[in-house]
Amino acid sequence: MPKLLTGAEIVFKCLEDQKVEHIFGYPGGAVLPIYDELKNHPSIKHILVRHEQGAGHAAEGYARSSGKPGVVLVTSGPGATNVVTALTDAYMDSVPLVCISGQVPTHLIGTDAFQECDTTGITRPCTKHNWLVKDINDLSKVIHEAFRVATTGRPGPVLIDIPKDIQFAKTKYKKPNKEKKLNGKSHNKFSQDQIDELVNLLSKSKKPIIYSGGGVINSGPKASQALREFVELTGFPITSTLQGLGAYPGDDNQFLGMLGMHGTYEANNAMHDCDLLINIGARFDDRITGKIDEFSPNSKKVHIDIDPSSINKIIKVDLAIVGDVTSVISKINKTIAKRKNGHSKSNKSNIAKWWEQIEKWREKDSLNFVNSDESIKPQHAVQRLYELTKNKDTYITTEVGQHQMWAAQHYKFNKPNRWMTSGGLGTMGYGLPAAVGVQIAHPEKLVIDIAGEASVLMTMQEMSTAVQYNLPIKIFILNNQYMGMVRQWQELLHEKNYSESYSEALPDFMKMAEAYGCKGIKADNPDDLDDKIQEMIDYDGTVIFDCHVDPNENCFPMIPSGKPHNQMILGPNDQEENKIKGKGKALV
Amino acid sequence: MPKSKSAYSIPTKKQKSDTYIFVVWVDNEAGVLARVVGLFSGRGYNIESLAVAEVDAVKNISRITIVTTGTPQVIDQIRLQLTKLVPVHKVAEFKREDKDVIFKEMALFKVVGKRNKIEKCLNACKKFNPVILDETKSSAVIQITALRREIDVMNKKLKPLGLISTSRTGAVAMTRGAKIFN
């Protein structure tokens, strides 16, 4: 007769069988049996965070940078509610997380017991699925199913709520089933006919653009490889969403930069004027589309996505291909190659005029800014950081706001999984704990959180985690003393009424670094910037870099709300020019 | 200055909404109804009526029938989002006007009054297969099955005849002929 295991032992058996190496968590009353069992499983390392939200974001950083699901362990009640922000963030950005939460014993559920909350109720709208395990015999099946749900199809977070008595109860352990049938939810539903139709569109198009997104990253490194081949085969221009950065090399000539609200002039204009739009693993987010009625008005639209509910949700498309990006693009590449053998006519000549137009847009140099000798411009800081770290296979996380957009605009990624940012939910405080998770997954790599001083204060407590585990993460704070993006919107839309967007009493980040037991570096002079950045890179340990930047800098270009792609506000250089020509007003 | 004082776009023109009936086969497990209903409320879809019960005790399957309104795009989204839920096996939807589908609601009317009034009530209900479930000298409970709007009408009509309480179900649906939903 097989040995009977406790619920807590089964949890670890499952994690071992799922090849989990790290879990991020915080103990508490309702998960103590699981924590008690931790010592017996040396292959699983627990990272103790300082707040459960930090555990969630760290697991997100871990997952996004490694392609493996992130695992979170929290207690009932406040432990579970604290992790809700991270679960929602993961849900919006399709990050695979498995969150295990403790719950009060089954006989106390519903009695308002100490540290009880309706965890499955609260997390139902922010997980792909969740389970409350009330019978020990279901436990192993549920945990394995949870990993399957989190990692298949469009990835996302799941939660397993385990009451304390179930953690003590005993039963036989069941190994995961090999490939269960997918409940009618298989993911590759495309046909060769659809691929042929797409290839026909490709060859007819005169003004094509590829718009790729986070789905390419989620599909794995092979998807990026296939995408690169596809772009090379077709000669088409490609732009990317915030989450898709890195899938295609940021310094390649065919790459037009990011699109959307703070995207480049060339990318947004190409989206607007194209006659063929190929969306690969993106979801027509409202930060991307601008005004829906005037979004890319004259194009045939193709949408490749693994999630059928993403198709036609916002933008009606002409051809939808539901499937995993790797499989779909590989199939397209094969089909193109086959056809080319038949008749070698390439459509690259078709699009020569289009490239001329794009080059004209490029001449606008829409990411330009007026640099200064006196104060550090935040864009300049990101550019210098990029130049000094680009040869190092660097992993970048960010918080949310202006610094995030400047990082996306000026830091160029050449590989997938190197860029971790909170896009959908826009969670300030994401970057620091995410950097912790990234560094755990890649102990030898350089991991930098490009941060804002307001965002980073939201999860600053995780510095303590970084120091405890000797994680040499670098927190590069673009300190402008404002909630910069809020200030920018107030300047542009609310008559410069800077309501509550200035942080009156910021901490001294140098002293803060000292208090946490790590290194603090401060820069406020453009002349010293390079040396200071180099000092940060060379330092073998955790660093808080307090980079004082011009507080009044705005993030340009931008599409004002309710405007289409071809009505962008450009940077200060261009605004000057247009004022003289009397065109400035038309642009805003 | 741009006109919109918001980081979001302004709502654009609305398409025409139609009434649809969704039939959803789900695992009969704890919380499944909350998942389905939560999807509707969370995404701003409305529910006109709802009926749910286990239909296969062996396979542990419940059948949920939901009447909702939405533009074609919203109806598409509802189907696709429902299909994504883990405990959902199958989703079918059809327009209320669809001639190939029968749908019915049931109502219980409690009428209190003299015999002749109760008789009048029964008469009025004649078209809808009235069944008397309980009867005393001064009261009756009448069951009818009909369409939603027919029950609405009856509800109004019976008020002056002594109707004091109405209880009604959501719609349930079934295809005509030998075909089943797929």
Side-chain angles (χ1 to χ4, degrees), chain A residues 25-40:
Chain A
Y26 201 101
V31 275
L32 283 181
I34 296 177
Y35 272 90
D36 193 40
E37 185 59 27
L38 182 63
K39 61 178 189 302
N40 300 326

Side-chain angles (χ1 to χ4, degrees), chain A residues 124 129-130 145 149 183 185 286-287 293 307-309 312-314 489 492-495 560-562 588, chain B residues 1-2 4-9 12-13 29 31 34-35 43 73 77 80-81 83-89:
Chain A
R124 193 177 297 125
H129 196 61
N130 60 21
E145 163 95 350
V149 171
N183 200 9
K185 294 175 178 62
D286 66 294
R287 302 293 97 170
D293 303 351
D307 176 7
S309 71
N312 293 334
K313 182 170 70 174
I314 294 158
W489 280 96
L492 295 173
L493 300 173
H494 295 275
E495 289 82 39
S561 53
V588 288
Chain B
M1 281 296 131
S4 160
K5 282 208 169 186
S6 146
Y8 297 94
S9 60
T12 49
K13 56 180 189 289
E29 62 185 27
R35 285 180 209 284
R43 291 187 180 265
Q73 206 173 355
Q77 266 297 300
L80 292 166
Q81 295 287 356
T83 312
K84 269 168 70 173
L85 295 179
V86 171
V88 167
H89 290 263

Side-chain angles (χ1 to χ4, degrees), chain A residues 422-480:
Chain A
S422 168
L425 193 64
T427 311
M428 291 170 71
Y430 167 90
L432 198 165
V436 167
V438 175
Q439 191 80 75
I440 292 286
H442 308 276
E444 304 302 323
K445 298 292 166 98
L446 177 61
V447 181
I448 303 174
D449 171 26
I450 300 181
E453 84 292 339
S455 284
V456 80
L457 282 174
M458 286 200 177
T459 48
M460 187 45 101
Q461 75 283 347
E462 300 306 331
M463 284 309 292
S464 187
T465 310
V467 172
Q468 176 178 344
Y469 295 95
N470 296 317
L471 304 175
I473 57 172
K474 320 295 181 200
I475 310 301
F476 189 77
I477 304 171
L478 297 177
N479 184 348
N480 61 3

Side-chain angles (χ1 to χ4, degrees), chain A residues 163-296:
Chain A
K164 194 168 180 178
D165 55 327
I166 301 294
Q167 298 169 29
F168 282 126
K170 285 187 169 183
T171 191
K172 281 179 254 174
Y173 173 66
K174 293 189 204 90
K175 287 221 165 243
N177 285 351
K178 286 266 181 297
E179 272 317 299
K180 230 181 76 188
K181 84 169 183 10
L182 291 160
N183 200 9
K185 294 175 178 62
S186 78
H187 305 296
N188 281 320
K189 288 182 182 158
F190 62 97
S191 65
Q192 184 62 39
D193 284 355
Q194 290 173 313
I195 303 286
D196 287 339
E197 197 180 335
L198 171 59
V199 176
N200 284 341
L201 287 172
L202 298 180
S203 58
K204 270 186 242 155
S205 168
K206 293 198 165 70
K207 297 193 282 183
I209 185 152
I210 299 162
Y211 142 47
S212 73
V216 184
I217 313 279
N218 275 336
S219 182
K222 273 189 190 155
S224 296
Q225 205 45 51
L227 178 69
R228 288 162 196 222
E229 280 164 34
F230 176 58
V231 174
E232 202 195 323
L233 274 172
T234 55
F236 288 178
I238 173 169
T239 176
S240 166
T241 66
L242 181 72
Q243 293 296 0
L245 294 174
Y248 191 83
D251 53 6
D252 186 272
N253 194 46
Q254 270 170 270
F255 186 65
L256 307 187
M258 183 173 73
L259 80 161
M261 186 167 268
H262 292 286
T264 65
Y265 188 70
E266 53 271 31
N268 283 332
N269 273 293
M271 286 291 280
H272 188 267
D273 286 4
C274 65
D275 67 359
L276 175 65
L277 188 160
I278 307 158
N279 173 339
I280 306 176
R283 60 183 179 93
F284 294 110
D285 179 87
D286 66 294
R287 302 293 97 170
I288 293 297
T289 57
K291 194 177 180 188
I292 299 284
D293 303 351
E294 294 174 50
F295 173 75
S296 194

